[in-house]
Amino acid sequence: MPVTFALLLLLGQATADPCYDPQGRPQFCLPPVTQLAAVAASCPQACALSPGNHLGETCNGSLTLALGGSFLLTSVSLRFCTPGPPALILSAAWASGGPWRLLWHRPAWPGALGGPERVTFHSTPDPKATVVASHLRVEFGGQAGLAAAGLRGRCQCHGHAARCAARARPPRCHCRHHTTGPGCESCRPSHRDWPWRPATPQHPHPCLPCSCNQHARRCRFNSELFRLSGGRSGGVCERCRHHTAGRHCHYCQPGFWRDPSQPMSSRRACRACQCHPIGATGGTCNQTSGQCTCKLGVTGLTCNRCGPGYQQSRSPRMPCQRIPEATTTLATTPGAYSSDPQCQNYCNMSDTRVYMSLRRYCQQDYVLRAQVLASEAAGPAWRRLAVRVQAVYKQRAQFVRRGDQDAWVPRADLACGCLRLQPGTDYLLLGSVVGGPDPTRLILDRHGLALPWRPRWARPLRRLQQEERAGGCRGVRAPTSSPRPEH
Ligand SMILES: *[C@@H]1O[C@H](CO)[C@@H](O)[C@H](O)[C@H]1NC(C)=O
Ligand SMILES: *[C@@H]1O[C@H](CO)[C@@H](O)[C@H](O)[C@H]1NC(C)=O
Ligand SMILES: *[C@@H]1O[C@H](CO)[C@@H](O)[C@H](O)[C@H]1NC(C)=O
């Protein structure tokens, strides 16, 4: 039992990271104190001389030791092979060439010719008063032969490491708190939202991650943004991937739009705009809706069709052209409505202008140009017209041929003035899909229209006809009646 306990204790110590508290919060940590350098005598000839004789010149004055890296010195021991120098001054510099900082000043030993053969300097345990040194200078107040200098201390890891390869040159700290560098003197590329700072026992000052929505691995610290944020965040993401852009990779690159069904951190958060090469003005679309910028008259998310009042053209510059206003409006004369109360609300022709859009065209059963030749009664409800069909603009399911044939009109529709037909006159006939009792009959009734023919209508009607052939009526349903078979 005691053995098991001891083992667990050892394991616990091995896995615990001194740079984090048991709750996983970062805390100030230091690497252990180690022997940093054991400098052999730099003037060995001095030791060969017997006391009293002249000493080597190198040992007169000062001696500088380069430590090969930055260390926190805790103690310096000097051993002399002669009586110690009458006075001794130790100084340290954190970089080559100084400035030098006085560590220890030993005035002349009173009444003695030489000092002790061993001297040890200890730095204070106060971490604020630590001695950071990369160079050490020993100044003799006279002559002495130095046999060895022993230095102890820790790697300078700025409170961010508890382990260090102290013998490496430069010494390498095992950096924690998302710091990096030989002495943990900077933040890792992904953690530059705050400025780097050394850890202190009061505050560990860990490096904080940039928020890049998982689209960037690197960021840089911008002190101006940090100041503007009131000291909350200064990171700027670099090299945003997955077609994202922005300081936090939080929006989509031009040419891509934000798919609202995906979280911003998803690799598929930004989708390519699918702008039509002819219908759109460019390859970029609205970042939130995916709407491409369409040329005049073009519509659709990707700008792939003509808008209302526009029809397709052959020009890539203007793929949709306005259907000329004059030709879309077919002027009619107001009907002389009958005063018969039975005719009240019977006719649907309330306006004198008829707008012929592609939609309306598609909703007609037929569109014909025909001359009315004669008319005669055909039973109590119908009149039969002899007509000469001159042009078929919109064909019906029951095929209409050009030339002379019969058409049928309800008598009431004529009596109420819904349709005004003069024998010997050319008309534009619009057939309704309501139809009559016999589908083979060509029916003209109050749901349709008979307009005295204008030659200027021929061209727009041909164009509508071409649109229909190009599939322009697909998806346009007739308002009433059952579906008709395709012919
Ligand atoms: C050693 O230093 C002392 C004092 O600085 C000086 O008087 C003496 O001449 C020096 N000796 C040599 C050999 O340089
Ligand atoms: C993008 O689309 C949204 C929503 O459809 C709209 O509110 C916004 O104004 C559009 N932005 C631009 C630049 O057109
Ligand atoms: C009259 O016209 C309107 C709109 O064009 C249409 O909805 C309605 O069905 C028509 N009524 C008749 C009786 O044709």
Side-chain angles (χ1 to χ4, degrees):
M1 201 47 196
V3 174
T4 318
F5 179 74
L7 265 178
L8 281 176
L9 198 66
L10 279 173
L11 282 173
Q13 280 173 345
T15 52
D17 185 340
C19 297
Y20 291 87
D21 71 9
Q23 283 76 46
R25 287 178 301 225
Q27 62 182 8
F28 175 78
C29 52
L30 286 173
V33 171
T34 55
Q35 178 85 32
L36 300 179
V39 183
S42 50
C43 49
Q45 74 273 32
C47 298
L49 297 167
S50 55
N53 287 1
H54 289 294
L55 296 177
E57 283 187 35
T58 45
C59 298
N60 196 16
S62 70
L63 177 75
T64 302
L65 301 174
L67 305 184
S70 219
F71 292 96
L72 302 172
L73 286 186
T74 53
S75 67
V76 179
S77 308
L78 302 175
R79 186 165 60 78
F80 298 96
C81 51
T82 61
L88 192 59
I89 298 170
L90 276 182
S91 321
W94 54 267
S96 173
W100 294 98
R101 173 180 168 195
L102 179 66
L103 295 186
W104 196 66
H105 179 206
R106 174 84 213 217
W109 276 266
L113 287 171
E117 287 177 16
R118 282 170 189 275
V119 236
T120 301
F121 155 82
H122 288 283
S123 79
T124 72
D126 176 5
K128 279 212 187 97
T130 50
V131 176
V132 181
S134 68
H135 292 77
L136 189 73
R137 188 167 71 182
V138 186
E139 286 172 281
F140 304 144
Q143 292 173 333
L146 182 66
L151 283 81
R152 287 178 69 77
R154 328 169 184 269
C155 298
Q156 165 61 308
C157 302
H158 298 99
H160 291 304
R163 286 163 55 198
C164 174
R167 293 188 188 283
R169 287 294 170 266
R172 276 198 312 276
C173 302
H174 183 78
C175 298
R176 310 292 283 148
H177 308 156
H178 304 287
T179 59
T180 187
C184 311
E185 67 282 336
S186 56
C187 289
R188 276 170 42 193
S190 56
H191 283 68
R192 293 181 176 165
D193 205 37
W194 274 33
W196 176 89
R197 290 206 207 134
T200 65
Q202 289 73 37
H203 198 294
H205 291 304
C207 293
L208 297 183
C210 295
S211 45
C212 299
N213 288 296
Q214 299 178 31
H215 298 302
R217 295 199 191 95
R218 303 177 61 92
C219 55
R220 70 188 144 80
F221 178 73
N222 182 306
S223 52
E224 183 68 4
L225 290 174
F226 187 68
R227 194 179 59 75
L228 289 173
S229 76
R232 276 195 294 274
S233 165
V236 178
C237 303
E238 288 187 321
R239 297 206 291 264
C240 294
R241 293 170 302 160
H242 313 130
H243 311 297
T244 60
R247 186 182 161 191
H248 302 296
C249 306
H250 59 298
Y251 58 82
C252 298
Q253 279 177 1
F256 292 82
W257 65 288
R258 179 76 188 85
D259 183 348
S261 70
Q262 301 282 336
M264 189 61 229
S265 58
S266 162
R267 291 164 145 267
R268 293 188 300 275
C270 293
R271 284 173 50 184
C273 303
Q274 308 253 299
C275 301
H276 194 281
I278 291 173
T281 58
T284 60
C285 59
N286 182 313
Q287 294 257 312
T288 54
S289 62
Q291 175 65 56
C292 300
T293 312
C294 299
K295 289 179 186 166
L296 184 69
V298 186
T299 186
L301 191 70
T302 60
C303 306
N304 59 343
R305 41 194 175 84
C306 291
Y310 285 84
Q311 59 190 2
Q312 201 164 341
S313 82
R314 283 160 196 265
S315 155
R317 206 174 55 81
M318 276 277 293
C320 295
Q321 280 173 354
R322 185 170 258 301
I323 301 168
E325 184 69 28
T327 58
T328 55
T329 306
L330 309 183
T332 67
T333 49
Y337 297 119
S338 165
S339 53
D340 188 338
Q342 282 195 349
C343 294
Q344 210 68 45
N345 297 327
Y346 186 68
C347 304
N348 202 19
M349 219 182 65
S350 55
D351 204 345
T352 60
R353 292 162 86 80
V354 179
Y355 292 90
M356 182 58 88
S357 63
L358 178 63
R359 184 179 185 80
R360 181 163 185 154
Y361 174 89
C362 294
Q363 285 171 350
Q364 304 303 317
D365 185 37
Y366 60 80
V367 179
L368 307 174
R369 179 190 160 197
Q371 189 178 28
V372 176
L373 302 172
S375 97
E376 62 173 10
W382 295 88
R383 279 191 85 80
R384 185 168 62 197
L385 305 179
V387 296
R388 179 169 296 157
V389 175
Q390 282 142 328
V392 180
Y393 293 108
K394 184 167 189 294
Q395 190 54 268
R396 67 199 286 248
Q398 197 65 48
F399 199 78
V400 182
R401 57 183 166 78
R402 282 167 60 169
D404 291 359
Q405 53 207 287
D406 286 343
W408 305 79
V409 189
R411 290 180 81 147
D413 295 21
L414 286 170
C416 287
C418 309
L419 297 161
R420 299 179 69 230
L421 298 165
Q422 297 277 325
T425 311
D426 271 3
Y427 290 97
L428 175 67
L429 301 181
L430 306 183
S432 82
V433 291
V434 175
D438 182 353
T440 61
R441 282 185 176 179
L442 186 61
I443 301 289
L444 183 59
D445 63 12
R446 66 195 158 99
H447 304 297
L449 270 179
L451 307 170
W453 174 255
R454 300 277 179 274
R456 66 166 190 274
W457 295 345
R459 269 184 59 192
L461 287 168
R462 285 278 172 230
R463 225 176 283 143
L464 290 169
Q465 190 179 13
Q466 282 163 10
E467 289 233 38
E468 186 202 11
R469 291 201 182 133
C473 285
R474 228 171 276 145
V476 180
R477 281 240 160 268
T480 55
S481 122
S482 52
R484 289 152 181 276
E486 294 285 333
H487 51 82

